[in-house]
Amino acid sequence: MDETAIRRALTRIAHEILERNKGIEGCVLAGIKTRGVYLAKRLAERLESIEGTSIPWGELDVTNYRDDKEDSAQGAGKATFPVSIQGKKVILFDDVLYTGRTIRAAMDAIMDCGRPESIQLAVLADRGHRELPIRADYIGKNVPTSRAEEIEVLLTEHDGTDLVRILQAREGN
């Protein structure tokens, strides 16, 4: 996906969110660090331009909630929301959906902040190979991959360019 394809995918996801939720009333966006935060911010801007109303959005650091990482960074693993998520529809955004473990960790982090009405999942790329029964509600692009491949998402805010590409896994991975 190039810059144009990413922009179009975000616009489509914005319209799908509006359609499913009948607007953005009672919705909160949550971006998973790092690139999910930038995508959530871009999505919030698109939703505001379409609806004329801003949607609150926050950041999730799921480091301490991971079950597949042995060493957790001290002080990491927190959620920052500008509003209470109690009784809200939380729309979680990540760059790539793979095994589902990051999303499970994010749901745990969200639940530590309150009890939302629902949690919906938006991803820029879904590559398959789930280890947990998790699926995205909104998908920018389905990208079938082998386990020997990786998907790299580059975003201007962090990497200086917008690009999604498939890489062959490095030797030893």
Short mmCIF file of all heavy atoms in Angstrom, two decimals, residues 48-85:
data_model
loop_
_atom_site.label_atom_id
_atom_site.label_comp_id
_atom_site.label_asym_id
_atom_site.label_seq_id
_atom_site.Cartn_x
_atom_site.Cartn_y
_atom_site.Cartn_z
N GLU A 48 -13.94 13.47 12.07
CA GLU A 48 -14.34 14.84 12.37
C GLU A 48 -14.66 15.60 11.08
O GLU A 48 -15.63 16.36 11.02
CB GLU A 48 -13.26 15.57 13.15
CG GLU A 48 -13.68 16.98 13.53
CD GLU A 48 -12.69 17.67 14.45
OE1 GLU A 48 -11.68 17.06 14.85
OE2 GLU A 48 -12.96 18.84 14.79
N SER A 49 -13.88 15.38 10.03
CA SER A 49 -14.15 16.10 8.77
C SER A 49 -15.46 15.62 8.14
O SER A 49 -16.15 16.40 7.49
CB SER A 49 -12.99 15.95 7.79
OG SER A 49 -12.93 14.65 7.25
N ILE A 50 -15.81 14.36 8.34
CA ILE A 50 -17.05 13.83 7.78
C ILE A 50 -18.25 14.25 8.62
O ILE A 50 -19.27 14.70 8.10
CB ILE A 50 -16.99 12.29 7.68
CG1 ILE A 50 -15.92 11.86 6.69
CG2 ILE A 50 -18.36 11.72 7.27
CD1 ILE A 50 -15.55 10.38 6.79
N GLU A 51 -18.14 14.12 9.94
CA GLU A 51 -19.26 14.34 10.85
C GLU A 51 -19.36 15.77 11.37
O GLU A 51 -20.42 16.17 11.85
CB GLU A 51 -19.15 13.40 12.06
CG GLU A 51 -19.51 11.97 11.75
CD GLU A 51 -20.98 11.78 11.46
OE1 GLU A 51 -21.80 11.82 12.39
OE2 GLU A 51 -21.31 11.61 10.28
N GLY A 52 -18.25 16.50 11.35
CA GLY A 52 -18.27 17.85 11.90
C GLY A 52 -18.20 17.86 13.42
O GLY A 52 -18.40 18.89 14.05
N THR A 53 -17.93 16.71 14.02
CA THR A 53 -17.82 16.56 15.47
C THR A 53 -16.56 15.78 15.77
O THR A 53 -16.23 14.82 15.07
CB THR A 53 -19.03 15.76 16.03
OG1 THR A 53 -20.23 16.39 15.62
CG2 THR A 53 -18.98 15.66 17.53
N SER A 54 -15.86 16.19 16.83
CA SER A 54 -14.63 15.47 17.15
C SER A 54 -14.95 14.21 17.95
O SER A 54 -15.96 14.12 18.64
CB SER A 54 -13.68 16.37 17.95
OG SER A 54 -14.25 16.72 19.18
N ILE A 55 -14.07 13.23 17.81
CA ILE A 55 -14.18 11.98 18.55
C ILE A 55 -12.96 11.87 19.46
O ILE A 55 -11.84 12.11 19.02
CB ILE A 55 -14.28 10.76 17.59
CG1 ILE A 55 -14.44 9.45 18.38
CG2 ILE A 55 -13.09 10.69 16.66
CD1 ILE A 55 -14.73 8.24 17.51
N PRO A 56 -13.17 11.57 20.74
CA PRO A 56 -12.02 11.44 21.62
C PRO A 56 -11.19 10.21 21.25
O PRO A 56 -11.73 9.21 20.79
CB PRO A 56 -12.64 11.29 23.02
CG PRO A 56 -14.07 10.95 22.81
CD PRO A 56 -14.44 11.37 21.42
N TRP A 57 -9.88 10.33 21.43
CA TRP A 57 -9.01 9.19 21.14
C TRP A 57 -7.89 9.16 22.16
O TRP A 57 -7.51 10.17 22.73
CB TRP A 57 -8.48 9.24 19.72
CG TRP A 57 -7.60 10.39 19.40
CD1 TRP A 57 -8.00 11.65 19.05
CD2 TRP A 57 -6.18 10.43 19.42
NE1 TRP A 57 -6.90 12.45 18.85
CE2 TRP A 57 -5.78 11.71 19.07
CE3 TRP A 57 -5.21 9.48 19.71
CZ2 TRP A 57 -4.43 12.09 19.00
CZ3 TRP A 57 -3.88 9.84 19.63
CH2 TRP A 57 -3.51 11.14 19.27
N GLY A 58 -7.40 7.96 22.41
CA GLY A 58 -6.35 7.77 23.39
C GLY A 58 -5.30 6.80 22.90
O GLY A 58 -5.39 6.26 21.80
N GLU A 59 -4.30 6.59 23.75
CA GLU A 59 -3.17 5.73 23.42
C GLU A 59 -3.12 4.54 24.37
O GLU A 59 -3.41 4.68 25.56
CB GLU A 59 -1.85 6.50 23.58
CG GLU A 59 -1.74 7.70 22.70
CD GLU A 59 -0.40 8.42 22.88
OE1 GLU A 59 0.51 7.85 23.53
OE2 GLU A 59 -0.26 9.52 22.35
N LEU A 60 -2.75 3.39 23.83
CA LEU A 60 -2.55 2.19 24.64
C LEU A 60 -1.13 1.69 24.48
O LEU A 60 -0.65 1.50 23.37
CB LEU A 60 -3.48 1.07 24.18
CG LEU A 60 -4.94 1.14 24.56
CD1 LEU A 60 -5.69 -0.04 23.93
CD2 LEU A 60 -5.12 1.12 26.05
N ASP A 61 -0.44 1.51 25.60
CA ASP A 61 0.85 0.84 25.62
C ASP A 61 0.58 -0.51 26.27
O ASP A 61 0.26 -0.58 27.46
CB ASP A 61 1.85 1.65 26.42
CG ASP A 61 3.21 0.97 26.50
OD1 ASP A 61 3.34 -0.20 26.09
OD2 ASP A 61 4.16 1.62 26.98
N VAL A 62 0.67 -1.58 25.50
CA VAL A 62 0.28 -2.91 25.99
C VAL A 62 1.46 -3.75 26.46
O VAL A 62 1.30 -4.94 26.74
CB VAL A 62 -0.54 -3.68 24.92
CG1 VAL A 62 -1.79 -2.91 24.55
CG2 VAL A 62 0.30 -3.99 23.70
N THR A 63 2.62 -3.15 26.60
CA THR A 63 3.84 -3.88 26.93
C THR A 63 3.66 -4.83 28.11
O THR A 63 4.00 -6.01 28.04
CB THR A 63 5.01 -2.91 27.21
OG1 THR A 63 5.14 -2.02 26.11
CG2 THR A 63 6.31 -3.66 27.43
N ASN A 64 3.14 -4.34 29.22
CA ASN A 64 3.02 -5.17 30.42
C ASN A 64 1.86 -6.15 30.35
O ASN A 64 1.72 -7.00 31.24
CB ASN A 64 2.87 -4.30 31.67
CG ASN A 64 4.17 -3.63 32.06
OD1 ASN A 64 5.24 -4.03 31.62
ND2 ASN A 64 4.08 -2.60 32.86
N TYR A 65 1.04 -6.07 29.34
CA TYR A 65 -0.10 -6.97 29.19
C TYR A 65 0.20 -8.14 28.24
O TYR A 65 -0.62 -9.03 28.09
CB TYR A 65 -1.32 -6.20 28.67
CG TYR A 65 -1.86 -5.23 29.68
CD1 TYR A 65 -1.40 -3.92 29.72
CD2 TYR A 65 -2.82 -5.61 30.61
CE1 TYR A 65 -1.90 -3.02 30.65
CE2 TYR A 65 -3.33 -4.72 31.54
CZ TYR A 65 -2.85 -3.42 31.56
OH TYR A 65 -3.35 -2.54 32.48
N ARG A 66 1.36 -8.11 27.61
CA ARG A 66 1.71 -9.15 26.64
C ARG A 66 1.95 -10.48 27.35
O ARG A 66 2.57 -10.52 28.40
CB ARG A 66 2.98 -8.76 25.87
CG ARG A 66 2.90 -7.49 25.05
CD ARG A 66 2.01 -7.63 23.88
NE ARG A 66 2.38 -8.75 23.05
CZ ARG A 66 2.51 -8.71 21.74
NH1 ARG A 66 2.30 -7.60 21.10
NH2 ARG A 66 2.83 -9.80 21.06
N ASP A 67 1.50 -11.57 26.73
CA ASP A 67 1.77 -12.90 27.28
C ASP A 67 2.88 -13.61 26.51
O ASP A 67 3.26 -14.71 26.86
CB ASP A 67 0.50 -13.75 27.29
CG ASP A 67 0.03 -14.12 25.89
OD1 ASP A 67 0.58 -13.61 24.91
OD2 ASP A 67 -0.91 -14.92 25.79
N ASP A 68 3.39 -12.95 25.48
CA ASP A 68 4.42 -13.58 24.65
C ASP A 68 5.75 -12.86 24.72
O ASP A 68 6.64 -13.09 23.92
CB ASP A 68 3.96 -13.70 23.20
CG ASP A 68 3.59 -12.37 22.58
OD1 ASP A 68 3.50 -11.36 23.31
OD2 ASP A 68 3.38 -12.33 21.36
N LYS A 69 5.89 -11.98 25.70
CA LYS A 69 7.15 -11.27 25.90
C LYS A 69 7.62 -11.54 27.31
O LYS A 69 6.89 -11.36 28.27
CB LYS A 69 6.97 -9.75 25.73
CG LYS A 69 6.38 -9.33 24.40
CD LYS A 69 7.40 -9.45 23.30
CE LYS A 69 6.79 -8.93 22.01
NZ LYS A 69 7.49 -9.30 20.84
N GLU A 70 8.88 -12.00 27.43
CA GLU A 70 9.39 -12.34 28.75
C GLU A 70 9.78 -11.13 29.57
O GLU A 70 9.58 -11.09 30.77
CB GLU A 70 10.60 -13.28 28.61
CG GLU A 70 10.19 -14.66 28.15
CD GLU A 70 11.36 -15.61 28.13
OE1 GLU A 70 12.30 -15.41 28.92
OE2 GLU A 70 11.32 -16.56 27.34
N ASP A 71 10.36 -10.13 28.93
CA ASP A 71 10.79 -8.96 29.69
C ASP A 71 9.89 -7.78 29.38
O ASP A 71 9.75 -7.34 28.26
CB ASP A 71 12.24 -8.61 29.38
CG ASP A 71 12.50 -8.37 27.90
OD1 ASP A 71 11.74 -8.93 27.08
OD2 ASP A 71 13.45 -7.64 27.58
N SER A 72 9.25 -7.27 30.40
CA SER A 72 8.37 -6.11 30.26
C SER A 72 9.13 -4.87 30.72
O SER A 72 9.82 -4.90 31.73
CB SER A 72 7.10 -6.27 31.10
OG SER A 72 6.35 -7.35 30.61
N ALA A 73 8.98 -3.81 29.98
CA ALA A 73 9.63 -2.56 30.35
C ALA A 73 9.00 -2.00 31.61
O ALA A 73 7.78 -2.01 31.76
CB ALA A 73 9.52 -1.55 29.21
N GLN A 74 9.83 -1.53 32.52
CA GLN A 74 9.33 -0.97 33.78
C GLN A 74 8.55 0.31 33.49
O GLN A 74 8.99 1.16 32.74
CB GLN A 74 10.51 -0.67 34.71
CG GLN A 74 10.12 -0.46 36.13
CD GLN A 74 9.61 -1.72 36.80
OE1 GLN A 74 9.09 -2.63 36.18
NE2 GLN A 74 9.74 -1.79 38.10
N GLY A 75 7.37 0.42 34.03
CA GLY A 75 6.56 1.63 33.86
C GLY A 75 5.75 1.64 32.59
O GLY A 75 4.98 2.55 32.35
N ALA A 76 5.95 0.67 31.72
CA ALA A 76 5.19 0.62 30.47
C ALA A 76 3.87 -0.09 30.72
O ALA A 76 3.66 -0.70 31.76
CB ALA A 76 5.99 -0.10 29.40
N GLY A 77 2.99 -0.03 29.77
CA GLY A 77 1.73 -0.76 29.88
C GLY A 77 0.62 0.08 30.47
O GLY A 77 0.04 -0.28 31.48
N LYS A 78 0.34 1.21 29.86
CA LYS A 78 -0.72 2.04 30.40
C LYS A 78 -1.59 2.58 29.28
O LYS A 78 -1.19 2.58 28.11
CB LYS A 78 -0.15 3.18 31.24
CG LYS A 78 0.78 4.09 30.45
CD LYS A 78 1.39 5.13 31.34
CE LYS A 78 2.37 5.95 30.51
NZ LYS A 78 3.09 6.92 31.25
N ALA A 79 -2.75 3.02 29.65
CA ALA A 79 -3.68 3.61 28.69
C ALA A 79 -3.91 5.06 29.06
O ALA A 79 -3.99 5.40 30.24
CB ALA A 79 -5.01 2.85 28.72
N THR A 80 -3.99 5.90 28.05
CA THR A 80 -4.25 7.32 28.26
C THR A 80 -5.46 7.70 27.42
O THR A 80 -5.39 7.68 26.19
CB THR A 80 -3.03 8.17 27.82
OG1 THR A 80 -1.88 7.67 28.46
CG2 THR A 80 -3.25 9.62 28.16
N PHE A 81 -6.58 7.99 28.09
CA PHE A 81 -7.80 8.40 27.41
C PHE A 81 -8.21 9.79 27.88
O PHE A 81 -8.11 10.09 29.07
CB PHE A 81 -8.95 7.42 27.69
CG PHE A 81 -8.77 6.08 27.06
CD1 PHE A 81 -8.38 4.99 27.81
CD2 PHE A 81 -8.99 5.90 25.70
CE1 PHE A 81 -8.21 3.75 27.24
CE2 PHE A 81 -8.82 4.66 25.11
CZ PHE A 81 -8.43 3.58 25.88
N PRO A 82 -8.69 10.63 26.96
CA PRO A 82 -9.12 11.97 27.36
C PRO A 82 -10.48 11.97 28.06
O PRO A 82 -10.87 12.97 28.64
CB PRO A 82 -9.20 12.72 26.03
CG PRO A 82 -9.49 11.65 25.03
CD PRO A 82 -8.80 10.42 25.53
N VAL A 83 -11.20 10.86 27.99
CA VAL A 83 -12.52 10.73 28.62
C VAL A 83 -12.63 9.34 29.24
O VAL A 83 -11.85 8.45 28.92
CB VAL A 83 -13.68 10.92 27.60
CG1 VAL A 83 -13.67 12.31 27.00
CG2 VAL A 83 -13.62 9.87 26.50
N SER A 84 -13.62 9.16 30.08
CA SER A 84 -13.88 7.84 30.64
C SER A 84 -14.38 6.93 29.52
O SER A 84 -15.15 7.35 28.65
CB SER A 84 -14.95 7.94 31.73
OG SER A 84 -15.41 6.65 32.08
N ILE A 85 -13.97 5.67 29.56
CA ILE A 85 -14.46 4.72 28.56
C ILE A 85 -15.63 3.90 29.09
O ILE A 85 -16.18 3.08 28.37
CB ILE A 85 -13.33 3.78 28.08
CG1 ILE A 85 -12.79 2.94 29.24
CG2 ILE A 85 -12.24 4.56 27.39
CD1 ILE A 85 -11.99 1.75 28.78
#
